[in-house]
Amino acid sequence: MDNETTQNTINPETPDGAQTPFARHGALHVEGTALTDSHGDPIQLRGMSTHGIAWFPEYINLETFRYLRSGWNTNCIRLAMYTAENGGYCTGGSQEELKKLIQGGVEYATELGMYVIIDWHVLSDQNPLTYKEEAIRFFDEMSKQYADYDNVIYEICNEPNNAGTWESVCAYAGEVIPVIRANSKNAVILVGTPTWSQDIDQALAAPLDYDNIMYVLHFYAATHTDWLRERMRTCIESGLPVFVSEFGICDASGNGAVDLEQANAWKELIETYNVSYLCWNLANKNESSSILVPGCSKLSDWNEEDLSEQGRWIRDWFLGEKE
Ligand code: IDC
C-alpha cells in the first residue's frame, strides 16, 4: 500500500482537529544517520515502552495510548514482549495471548496514528540465537499481518548480552531481517547490540548490509554516564544510525535513585542529534523506572501524585517538545 492510501485509511485527525503523527509523517526510512519521514524530513520518535506485556497487559488499551499521544505529546509506543523470563514467549507464556496483546497494541496505535515498535525482548536468554526459530516464526507472522502498516517498526532483539556477541547478532539478523523484508519490504528494523545494547561501536565496525536499519543503544542514567554518551556521539558522527528504544534515569536494575544531572546530560545529547527515545516503563511496579507510583491504578489522566519521579521528569520532557 502506498503512503497516500495508508494515510487515508488510518484516522487522519485527532479529536481536536490536529493531524496525527502518522498522518503528518507517513512511512519512515533511514537516510544516513537520520530517521526520515515520507517528506524527506528528519523525525524524532518519542514515547513510552510498556513493561513486559505478560505482566502489565492493562496498559495496552486505546485510552492509555490516546492519553500518551494527546496528553503527553508522544508519537510512538513500544510493546515489550519478553522472550524468556517467567511467562516469556519462548518459556511457557501463552503465545496466543501474547500475540493478542501485540495485535491489540498495534491496532490501538494505528487507530491513533502513532508509530508502534514490536519488541522481541531478549534479556535473560542473552543470545538472540537461543530462540532464533521462534523469532523467525513470530516475525514472519507479524510482518505478514502488518505488511500494509507503515507505522509498525520491528525490534528484533532487545538486549543481547554475554553470549550474545555481535557475531551472533549478525548471524541472527541475517536470518530474521530477510524474513521480515519478504513481507514488509521497507519496514524500519531496530537491531540490539551486545552488552545490553551498549556496544554500538561494534555495529559501527561491522555494520549489517541492509537498508532502513537502526542500531539500538540503551542507557540507565545513574549507571551509564560520560563514556557511553561519548560512544554514542562518536558513532553518530561516524555515520551510524542510532535509536534509543529504551532508557531510564535510575540505575540499570530499573530501580535505585534517579540521577537528574546525568539524565539531563543524556537529554541534551539526544536532542543535539535528534535521536528517537522511548522511556522504560509504562507500569505501576514498585521500582523507580515505573512512571506510575505503586498505588496508582489509573490508566490515563495521571496527575502529579500518580507519577514517580522518573514519570514526572519524562512527562515534562515530552511536553517540552515543539511538535
Ligand atoms: C527490568 C524490569 C524489572 C524486571 C526485570 C527482569 O524493570 O521489573 O524484574 O527487567 O525482567 C533492561 C531491560 C529491561 C529491564 C530494565 C531494568 O531491557 O527488561 O527491566 N533494563 O533492569 N536493560 C537495562 C535495564
Side-chain angles (χ1 to χ4, degrees), residues 51-52 55-56 78 80 82 85-86 119 121-123 158-159 196 198 218-220 224 246 248 250-255 280-281 285 287 289-290:
H51 202 291
W55 306 323
F56 294 94
R78 177 187 194 232
Y82 280 83
E85 273 84 11
N86 183 18
D119 163 36
H121 202 81
V122 170
L123 187 61
N158 167 52
E159 292 185 354
W196 297 278
Q198 293 161 39
H218 289 171
F219 69 85
Y220 283 77
H224 309 113
E246 180 187 307
C250 54
D251 69 38
S253 72
N255 216 340
W280 182 265
N281 65 67
K285 188 167 172 175
E287 61 180 10
S289 58
S290 275

Side-chain angles (χ1 to χ4, degrees), residues 173-232:
E175 292 199 55
V176 173
I177 291 174
V179 167
I180 296 174
R181 285 287 161 74
N183 301 321
S184 185
K185 225 170 53 240
N186 302 314
V188 172
I189 297 175
L190 308 179
V191 182
T193 55
T195 319
W196 297 278
S197 284
Q198 293 161 39
D199 295 347
I200 52 172
D201 52 322
Q202 295 185 21
L204 176 68
L208 294 165
D209 199 11
Y210 300 98
D211 292 333
N212 293 331
I213 298 292
M214 299 191 88
Y215 299 92
V216 168
L217 176 101
H218 289 171
F219 69 85
Y220 283 77
T223 303
H224 309 113
T225 61
D226 288 338
W227 61 273
L228 192 56
R229 282 194 292 275
E230 211 34 58
R231 181 181 291 171
M232 176 161 126

